[in-house]
Amino acid sequence: MSKTTIKLNVNGQSVEAQAEPRELLIHVLREQLQITGPHIGCETSHCGACTVDIDGKSIKSCTLFAIQAQGSEITTIEGLGNPDKLHVLQEKFKEHHGLQCGYCTPGMITRAHRLLEENPNPTEEDVRFGIAGNLCRCTGYQNIVKAVMAAADELNQPEAVA
Amino acid sequence: MSAAEETIQERTAALKGLGTSRKRVEDARFTQGKGNYVDDIKMPDMLFGDFVRSPYAHARVKSIDSSAAMAVPGVIAVLTAQDLEPLSLHWMPTLAGDKQMVLADGKVLFQGQEVAFVVAEDRYIAADAVDLVQVEYEELPVLVDPFKAELPDAPVLREDIADATEGAHGPRRHPNHIFTWEQGDKSATEAVLAEAPVVAEEMVYYHRTHPCPMETCGAVASMDKVNGKLTLWGTFQAPHVVRTVASLLSGIAEHNIRVVSPDIGGGFGNKVGVYPGYVCAIVASIVTGQPVKWIEDRMENLSATAFARDYWMKGKIAATDDGKILGLWCHTTADHGAFDACADPTKYPAGFMNICTGSYDIPMAYLAVDGIYTNKAPGGVAYRCSFRVTEAAYFIERMIEVLAIKLNMDAAELRAKNFIRKDQFPYHSALGWEYDSGDYHTAWNKALEAVNYTGLRAEQAQQVEDFKAGKTRKLMGIGLCHFTEIVGAGPVKNCDILGMGMFDSCEIRIHPTGSAIARLGTISQGQGHATTFAQILASEIGISADDITVEEGDTDTAPYGLGTYGSRSTPVAGAATAMAGRKIRAKAQMIAAYLLEVHDNDIEWEVDRFVVKGAPERFKTMKEVAFASYTQVIPGVEPGLEAVSYYDPPNMTYPFGAYICVMDIDVDTGESDIRQFYALDDCGTRINPMIIEGQVHGGLTEALAIALGQEIAYDELGNVKTGSLMDFFIPTSWETPNYQTDFTETPSPHHPIGAKGVGESPNVGGVPAFSNAINDAFRAFGLTHTHMPHDHWRIWKTANDLGLHS
């Protein structure tokens, strides 16, 4: 099947990939671009393990053709923080034991990041509703919710004066 | 501050040992998307395998034509049973003493069964080719109801063993009958039932469901023909057993096989067994000389690998008029699907179902389990429980409620009246177990007080009055559960898997500068072993947990062990860790005595050092001893500081807990809303309270799923009706409540650190608590028992059948 050149900006870097029209974004990310943070959990948009951020929206990349993302800006878990400077959500998930097997975690944090962009002062109910598209089998969500609320709190603190 | 000036408390805290809510060392990589799961593995020239699966539940395979598939560019091979037969790999042994087709051999026995394995350059080409493999089937009558398996017109499913009158677990009375397993005294129990003042009876069905971890099963096989070595990465909860099985099946010597479990995205029992995909990936790699990856999709996962439960438990419970239980009788019809692939220790074809006397002092009991073949997927795995323990707990906790109704007695009081008393431990149950320790009354009273049980019952009674008066359309259910588990399999004398004794192991190496690496025979799937096992060791050898690396899952480096499932890691490998730590300490003591120029017996251990008795200023820390062991000649002592322990536990451990669920039910919509869930767990010595709580939250949510909607359902033709996450219920953050956790601490007397294991308790205890809440809500209206899963429709139907909608 013929391939099309797809130009993307992934985590701040311009990249190109060759993909068939039917090729899913998650496969292009994971298998061509070595972005293996987002995972595949269901292939039917239910579990959210593949969640990435596309042009400011949380998208399940297992049900989007790569070609549909042509020209877009994509942020994955790899783009949220790095070993020298973790994102607050990454810190809080660790602090509040918001993960166990880790498989849902990249999608969960990526979704939570967008949620807090959309709603910087969420109630617990807002968080529970806002991450309901991301399934977790290990944690029962209690500590995930705690971590997201704690991250919101910290992000809302006035920046410390150096 | 110098080492000498630190207080004992400060030194203890610095170790981050037992009892510390230490943050997890695993989280750095997982939160940054740098985990290494099997589908993340990429190798040069790696091929991708995909299955042609049966659309029918029972059919003869007349022919397989793969010519069109082979014509697709990029398709390398299409394997069928015919290709595997010369290697004797078209069938494989199951963990339960049966055998299972790797690829359909003449017929198919369940929908989704593996028929052919396509190997191609990428997953898209493989999927294209799967569609082009032409299989001609001749449909056969389908058996989905285990109660019809032995009727005269029942189709014979397993023609390969139709005439075998003896199976792996004793006599077979019919081609569709697998085994009958009996425990306890049948005639004596029936005599008790015949004479008892009160006997309550019920059929309790624990429906078929599935562990459904977020990551499906998968493997990458790589046969290095130059060196004759096979490497197999995969989602294995028991990598060492997989290596042994792979060796026995393939004929490749065991030292030439390396099995690696990388990060595993949840297991919950799904990843204990050996699946056709693993075998086919190995064969395909041997045939092609290239690495071959096989990854299930979710539909394949739900419909073909490792269902759980599906026990029809007919129960009778006898008591005096005032509620003293006299006897328990249970006959279970176990639907095993097309092959008996239960992951149970060999001598226990129904697992530890004989823990079904629960937390109660029941003098006489009898259990029989009939294993039956049907046209459904094989499995019968322990989904977040020790072998069949959740079935047993659900059975007894429903039977207690049924008896309470019959006696017109409060179910909490009935439980308290029959609990095994603290002074009865070690307790010998009527069905053959020796419970190690427990204090049920204390836990129970703590739970009842925590939720204000008396107040809840008063509120419930008022609500029933209000409902009857037309003031509300909601009902309130109070779900009680006091469970006792049996975990930590197990003593080698009676527990093995495929003949391998169920010990476990730990190997420790202390480095010259006083940090360490420990390797274990288990494998974490999210439980946080790298965090908690380091804590056990820290407390034993006085080196901070932060300075101890824990590794598992690579059979080339880790000591042999039976893996992680059945809450056995802490009871068995955790014990091995403590014992290996003690060996380190014993050797270190000799070295320290030499360095301090005193006799071995003149020094004593204190947190992280050996101190000369009566001279506290004279000591050697474990770090100093470690350095000396590499740098000095110590007379009579080998250099280095290493130890290994293979631990064969003397008994299982018996964690227990008291759970209470308060549920509000909308009679008109059937919706259920969890108002409160209180969970008290007693898992003996607590290693990491943060992780224990996390395990409880997760296990309760899996229990919620099972009790309130999660189901693998089949229609009468054997079609899987719940093959995707659209139909298979997994609770989201929206319907999951906040849980209130609590604990008591009754150490196991036989475990080196007194720990019992906790990972599965919340599932075992949670399912009855949720189900009892639903049942209890309708008790005032005449309901005795209704089957799970209690989804909205079924709850509505229950209300409707009770006439609550008129």
Side-chain angles (χ1 to χ4, degrees):
Chain A
M1 211 175 283
S2 67
K3 297 196 174 188
T4 306
T5 301
I6 296 170
K7 295 184 177 181
L8 306 166
N9 184 300
V10 181
N11 298 326
Q13 307 236 319
S14 294
V15 293
E16 278 189 18
Q18 300 288 318
E20 295 176 15
R22 62 177 179 171
E23 211 160 328
L24 298 170
L25 178 61
I26 186 70
H27 289 138
V28 170
L29 288 174
R30 288 178 50 81
E31 288 173 19
Q32 292 195 44
L33 303 176
Q34 322 307 332
I35 302 278
T36 55
H39 298 131
I40 302 170
C42 71
E43 296 148 323
T44 51
S45 288
H46 289 94
C47 83
C50 63
T51 301
V52 299
D53 203 85
I54 304 184
D55 295 336
K57 286 188 176 137
S58 295
I59 298 290
K60 292 176 176 175
S61 62
C62 77
T63 29
L64 193 78
F65 294 120
I67 190 79
Q68 291 176 279
Q70 181 73 275
S72 62
E73 285 199 19
I74 299 177
T75 305
T76 69
I77 187 70
E78 287 90 342
L80 285 182
N82 60 59
D84 298 325
K85 187 166 175 29
L86 292 181
H87 189 274
V88 175
L89 278 161
Q90 292 169 318
E91 297 276 12
K92 295 299 172 188
F93 267 63
K94 185 173 167 150
E95 188 181 327
H96 293 281
H97 190 28
L99 65 150
Q100 291 179 27
C101 81
Y103 201 76
C104 76
T105 310
M108 193 68 84
I109 290 180
T110 308
R111 169 58 201 147
H113 167 255
R114 179 51 46 197
L115 171 69
L116 295 185
E117 295 277 323
E118 292 162 354
N119 179 0
N121 290 295
T123 62
E124 182 183 331
E125 203 170 53
D126 292 337
V127 172
R128 286 190 172 273
F129 190 77
I131 60 166
N134 290 66
L135 298 177
C136 170
R137 294 288 285 145
C138 297
T139 65
Y141 307 104
Q142 192 157 328
N143 289 341
I144 291 177
V145 172
K146 212 190 269 183
V148 176
M149 298 290 286
D153 271 356
E154 183 152 327
L155 289 167
N156 289 330
Q157 297 294 321
E159 280 189 40
V161 181
Chain B
M1 190 161 48
S2 75
E5 289 166 336
E6 284 176 311
T7 65
I8 285 185
Q9 287 76 14
E10 284 166 342
R11 279 157 44 205
T12 304
L15 295 180
K16 300 187 185 173
L18 292 181
T20 310
S21 283
R22 179 181 184 228
K23 304 300 176 204
R24 300 198 332 159
V25 297
E26 295 89 345
D27 292 357
R29 67 178 186 277
F30 291 149
T31 54
Q32 295 178 69
K34 297 297 179 192
N36 182 34
Y37 302 91
V38 65
D39 199 17
D40 297 338
I41 294 170
K42 246 187 130 171
M43 300 179 74
D45 300 325
M46 189 171 75
L47 303 172
F48 202 93
D50 199 354
F51 278 113
V52 176
R53 292 177 181 275
S54 170
Y56 298 110
H58 196 194
R60 228 167 271 295
V61 177
K62 306 287 282 184
S63 65
I64 301 174
D65 178 0
S66 52
S67 54
M70 284 299 293
V72 175
V75 173
I76 309 296
V78 178
L79 301 177
T80 65
Q82 268 190 324
D83 302 308
L84 300 185
E85 191 171 358
L87 307 165
S88 296
L89 286 175
H90 55 319
W91 289 73
M92 62 178 182
T94 70
L95 297 181
D98 195 359
K99 56 181 182 162
Q100 173 179 354
M101 292 180 208
V102 173
L103 291 170
D105 183 21
K107 72 189 289 196
V108 288
L109 288 159
F110 65 94
Q111 188 184 57
Q113 186 179 333
E114 299 81 0
V115 175
F117 189 68
V118 173
V119 185
E121 286 172 3
D122 73 33
R123 65 179 86 209
Y124 285 81
I125 297 170
D128 286 344
V130 162
D131 285 347
L132 292 172
V133 174
Q134 300 294 316
V135 185
E136 193 188 342
Y137 297 96
E138 177 192 319
E139 287 184 71
L140 295 168
V142 174
L143 175 67
V144 291
D145 181 350
F147 293 100
K148 293 181 177 165
E150 295 170 62
L151 296 181
D153 60 345
V156 170
L157 307 192
R158 293 287 301 277
E159 286 155 292
D160 58 303
I161 50 167
D163 300 327
T165 54
E166 194 73 22
H169 308 290
R172 298 172 69 224
R173 60 174 181 252
H174 185 277
N176 295 333
H177 169 247
I178 309 170
F179 64 83
T180 295
W181 189 60
E182 287 183 281
Q183 295 287 295
D185 190 328
K186 184 175 190 226
S187 58
T189 304
E190 287 177 352
V192 168
L193 290 168
E195 289 163 19
V198 180
V199 177
E201 293 187 33
E202 193 54 69
M203 172 64 95
V204 178
Y205 179 44
Y206 198 142
H207 58 288
R208 181 173 282 237
T209 182
H210 193 282
C212 193
M214 288 302 299
E215 177 201 37
T216 59
C217 299
V220 175
S222 179
M223 185 68 209
D224 173 352
K225 292 196 170 176
V226 174
N227 295 303
K229 298 255 183 191
L230 170 71
T231 306
L232 180 67
W233 294 266
T235 47
F236 310 130
Q237 288 181 237
H240 300 273
V241 182
V242 168
R243 184 187 70 190
T244 303
V245 173
S247 175
L248 293 172
L249 285 179
S250 67
I252 301 171
E254 205 165 351
H255 70 287
N256 282 329
I257 301 177
R258 175 182 171 218
V259 175
V260 182
S261 296
D263 286 328
I264 295 182
F268 315 123
N270 196 173
K271 296 167 180 170
V272 174
V274 172
Y275 297 120
Y278 304 158
V279 177
C280 288
I282 293 172
V283 172
S285 183
I286 292 172
V287 169
T288 62
Q290 289 169 250
V292 176
K293 177 187 275 189
W294 166 73
I295 304 288
E296 277 182 324
D297 67 28
R298 180 57 63 191
M299 192 172 284
E300 293 176 298
N301 175 251
L302 287 172
S303 57
T305 49
F307 81 90
R309 327 295 196 229
D310 215 343
Y311 262 31
W312 291 90
M313 302 172 286
K314 173 81 180 159
K316 299 177 191 176
I317 186 163
T320 61
D321 287 319
D322 60 353
K324 186 73 194 140
I325 299 172
L326 301 170
L328 180 72
W329 180 98
C330 177
H331 181 274
T332 295
T333 300
D335 185 339
H336 282 235
F339 308 98
D340 186 9
C342 289
D344 294 319
T346 304
K347 290 176 190 147
Y348 297 90
F352 304 151
M353 178 64 191
N354 53 332
I355 193 74
C356 65
T357 52
S359 308
Y360 310 103
D361 181 16
I362 301 179
M364 194 58 71
Y366 168 71
L367 165 72
V369 181
D370 276 336
I372 302 294
Y373 288 124
T374 61
N375 288 121
K376 299 176 192 169
V381 300
Y383 168 10
R384 202 166 186 148
C385 66
S386 190
F387 317 100
R388 301 292 186 183
V389 171
T390 188
E391 287 92 328
Y394 183 62
F395 169 74
I396 184 64
E397 288 301 297
R398 282 302 306 141
M399 290 308 294
I400 289 284
E401 295 279 319
V402 169
L403 177 62
I405 291 169
K406 184 111 182 175
L407 292 165
N408 194 25
M409 194 171 168
D410 178 84
E413 186 191 335
L414 177 61
R415 283 179 172 84
K417 187 163 199 149
N418 289 284
F419 282 145
I420 300 162
R421 293 186 320 275
K422 190 180 174 184
D423 59 78
Q424 288 177 283
F425 292 93
Y427 174 80
H428 292 267
S429 78
L431 292 177
W433 296 116
E434 185 190 304
Y435 293 33
D436 60 349
S437 64
D439 183 355
Y440 300 164
H441 285 101
T442 299
W444 192 238
N445 291 335
K446 192 173 181 184
L448 296 180
E449 277 171 35
V451 301
N452 181 16
Y453 179 69
T454 316
L456 285 173
R457 282 293 179 205
E459 185 188 346
Q460 183 188 40
Q462 183 60 49
Q463 192 154 355
V464 168
E465 291 311 309
D466 290 350
F467 183 89
K468 286 177 177 167
K471 292 182 194 165
T472 180
R473 296 297 293 162
K474 290 201 172 171
L475 291 174
M476 181 179 157
I478 303 168
L480 305 175
C481 174
H482 191 288
F483 64 93
T484 295
E485 279 195 281
I486 172 169
V487 306
V492 172
K493 63 178 187 279
N494 55 8
C495 287
D496 71 88
I497 297 247
L498 292 175
M500 309 307 299
M502 294 183 77
F503 60 84
D504 227 291
S505 58
C506 176
E507 189 181 279
I508 303 166
R509 189 178 304 167
I510 314 289
H511 306 313
T513 53
S515 62
I517 183 165
R519 294 190 171 101
L520 291 90
T522 43
I523 176 72
S524 184
Q525 308 123 40
Q527 296 91 336
H529 289 178
T531 304
T532 50
F533 285 127
Q535 291 182 250
I536 295 176
L537 205 47
S539 289
E540 291 292 340
I541 63 173
I543 289 175
S544 170
D546 290 345
D547 293 335
I548 301 169
T549 295
V550 173
E551 266 188 16
E552 303 171 301
D554 184 337
T555 60
D556 265 9
T557 54
Y560 204 101
L562 270 281
T564 294
Y565 43 86
S567 274
R568 63 185 302 281
S569 299
T570 294
V572 192
T577 304
M579 298 308 273
R582 287 170 196 184
K583 288 184 187 178
I584 293 274
R585 221 164 76 187
K587 181 174 178 183
Q589 181 157 354
M590 291 194 276
I591 298 171
Y594 173 78
L595 297 173
L596 291 162
E597 298 178 336
V598 294
H599 189 272
D600 289 3
N601 295 332
D602 293 334
I603 55 175
E604 59 191 356
W605 177 250
E606 185 194 275
V607 184
D608 56 357
R609 63 191 59 176
F610 293 97
V611 179
V612 176
K613 288 177 187 169
E617 73 288 355
R618 295 187 63 207
F619 63 86
K620 287 288 171 190
T621 64
M622 182 58 91
K623 281 202 174 204
E624 291 170 319
V625 170
F627 194 70
S629 77
Y630 285 90
T631 56
Q632 293 191 29
V633 176
I634 317 285
V637 180
E638 283 182 8
L641 199 49
E642 294 188 18
V644 59
S645 169
Y646 284 78
Y647 188 79
D648 177 10
N651 190 4
M652 317 274 190
T653 61
Y654 296 74
F656 61 94
Y659 290 179
I660 299 175
C661 171
V662 185
M663 193 99 80
D664 293 309
I665 287 167
D666 186 318
V667 171
D668 296 320
T669 65
E671 287 170 284
S672 56
D673 184 41
I674 300 151
R675 188 201 299 181
Q676 182 182 11
F677 199 107
Y678 170 90
L680 180 151
D681 277 281
D682 192 320
C683 57
T685 303
R686 289 155 59 85
I687 299 166
N688 182 322
M690 176 191 83
I691 285 181
I692 291 172
E693 270 193 27
Q695 290 288 312
V696 172
H697 294 165
L700 287 175
T701 305
E702 291 190 343
L704 180 163
I706 294 165
L708 301 187
Q710 186 179 87
E711 180 182 22
I712 295 291
Y714 287 83
D715 70 11
E716 68 276 13
L717 294 174
N719 296 305
V720 184
K721 297 199 289 182
T722 50
S724 83
L725 298 188
M726 177 69 92
D727 304 300
F728 185 81
F729 174 53
I730 293 182
T732 71
S733 49
W734 188 244
E735 54 263 313
T736 304
N738 280 313
Y739 305 103
Q740 189 183 344
T741 54
D742 205 345
F743 66 98
T744 54
E745 197 162 348
T746 312
S748 168
H750 63 77
H751 187 280
I753 63 165
K756 289 188 172 186
V758 75
E760 297 163 341
S761 297
N763 196 322
V764 170
V767 172
F770 286 112
S771 180
N772 283 348
I774 300 287
N775 279 282
D776 180 70
F778 296 105
R779 176 173 170 175
F781 301 90
L783 180 73
T784 303
H785 173 82
T786 183
H787 291 314
M788 292 192 293
H790 306 295
D791 55 21
H792 298 170
W793 182 80
R794 284 188 178 91
I795 293 174
W796 178 89
K797 181 80 166 46
T798 298
N800 198 58
D801 290 348
L802 293 170
L804 302 184
H805 293 150
S806 50

